[in-house]
Amino acid sequence: MADTPPRTGSLAAHDTDLIVIGGGPAGCAAARMAASVGMRTILIEPDTLCRNLYRIPALNNVLGGCTSGPELADSITAELKSTEPCRLELGRRVTELRADDDHVAVTLDTGIRLTAPYAVVATGVGPLQPRDVAWITAPDGLTLPPLWQADAADAEGRTLLVLGGDRPTGTLLRAHPSTDTRLLVVYPASDAYKVEEVSEDPRVRLLPVEHLTMSSGEGATVTAEAVGRDGARHTVTADAAYLSIGNAPTAPSGDLTRGPDGYCPPTDQHPRVIVAGDLRSARFQRIMTALGSGSEAALHAYYAARELLTWD
């Protein structure tokens, strides 16, 4: 920025002005906003930028005209790769984050240590498995695919058992409005508000339960016993089973404060660590909120740095 005074003092000893950990929508938005106000940024992502967006077949709540996750991911990636002064460290994982009085330090899986006055942590979440939730009992080692991996052509004319009422259920139905797929959605009380958006779809049967016991089944048939909230037992069968039970935070180790649910509330963190995106809470896991929180996090670091720096 032309009107930004030159930096002096201890900042010159750091590798960059801002470290962004995580290359999803929140992390990319943070890096883009930081660049727009003249901050040097290093963005660290173990995979490709916006990798989870490529798994979302349809979007209906994002500004900008993008109607699918891949379209939005391509747009964000192209813009960020041409953004200066942002340095991308793709294929690298942060193994530790440490916060001190005047800086943060991150250690990469290569052993390299990077420092900056502030860090934005936007590492997001990963999918839960049946063993991770108390309301499902499953055979040892059972691993099921998340619902977003269901192929519409393979699911045509079949009944899919969906464990949990998380948002991907509605995404699948919107992406394939004419697919003759029947979804048997088994969900706990905590997911009741999530299934409202699919409750009127004739392809969906909702089964609220207290507990579900999965069996190994025979052949291609999936069998489970559900205990309803009234105590009644139901045997359910389907052609395949998929997960929609939510996600778990994937924060790096080190100086992050986690709540009882594993998420990292922004107000509980060290002053030099700013949490953005899905890592903040299970209740705000939306693309638009991730983009907004990432941008806000970068501005938080920018304004805090201006107050702390001395100028010539």
Side-chain angles (χ1 to χ4, degrees), residues 8-296:
T8 63
S10 62
L11 182 60
H14 297 307
D15 296 290
T16 189
D17 301 332
L18 180 67
I19 295 173
V20 178
I21 307 172
C28 289
R32 185 67 184 89
M33 178 60 75
S36 75
V37 293
M39 298 182 77
R40 298 173 302 140
T41 305
I42 298 176
L43 186 152
I44 305 163
E45 164 57 45
D47 205 316
T48 58
L49 295 177
C50 296
R51 65 188 185 281
N52 287 332
L53 283 183
Y54 286 101
R55 302 163 178 168
I56 301 177
L59 297 176
N60 68 345
N61 59 357
V62 176
L63 296 173
C66 294
T67 58
S68 73
E71 183 182 1
L72 179 60
D74 286 343
S75 175
I76 293 174
T77 298
E79 182 167 353
L80 197 61
K81 286 185 174 180
S82 64
T83 294
E84 295 290 346
C86 177
R87 168 180 147 198
L88 300 178
E89 287 286 346
L90 303 182
R92 297 287 178 262
R93 185 179 303 277
V94 172
T95 59
E96 187 176 54
L97 167 69
R98 292 297 176 191
D100 208 336
D101 290 341
D102 61 352
H103 73 279
V104 293
V106 301
T107 303
L108 305 185
D109 51 5
T110 58
I112 293 175
R113 185 173 179 269
L114 301 171
T115 65
Y118 293 91
V120 171
V121 184
T123 47
V125 295
L128 294 168
Q129 286 291 328
R131 60 181 175 273
D132 298 319
V133 295
W135 64 275
I136 299 176
T137 299
D140 290 342
L142 177 66
T143 300
L144 297 175
L147 186 59
W148 52 259
Q149 288 186 356
D151 183 86
D154 292 341
E156 181 71 31
R158 306 176 76 203
T159 298
L160 306 183
L161 176 62
V162 180
L163 308 186
D166 213 34
R167 302 296 184 184
T169 307
T171 301
L172 176 72
L173 294 170
R174 289 191 300 271
H176 308 289
S178 61
T179 299
D180 182 22
T181 301
R182 295 173 296 279
L183 301 184
L184 175 57
V185 181
V186 180
Y187 64 98
S190 58
D191 282 0
Y193 74 98
K194 299 178 182 179
V195 299
E196 292 176 356
E197 65 176 283
V198 300
S199 62
E200 301 299 322
D201 194 302
R203 296 170 291 175
V204 175
R205 177 189 169 196
L206 299 177
L207 182 58
V209 301
E210 287 293 333
H211 196 81
L212 182 76
T213 300
M214 299 285 298
S215 60
S216 57
E218 296 181 1
T221 302
V222 175
T223 305
E225 183 179 86
V227 179
R229 295 176 195 165
D230 58 358
R233 294 180 177 274
H234 310 271
T235 298
V236 295
T237 59
D239 298 303
Y242 289 89
L243 296 174
S244 191
I245 58 178
N247 302 290
T250 57
S253 63
D255 294 334
L256 275 171
T257 302
R258 295 164 174 79
D261 58 359
Y263 286 89
C264 302
T267 55
D268 295 347
Q269 307 306 317
H270 188 282
R272 293 187 176 276
V273 176
I274 310 160
V275 175
D278 292 358
L279 190 61
R280 299 172 301 160
S281 167
R283 291 202 172 259
F284 299 103
Q285 295 184 5
R286 296 290 190 277
I287 296 169
M288 286 292 286
T289 57
L291 291 168
S293 72
S295 300
E296 183 180 4

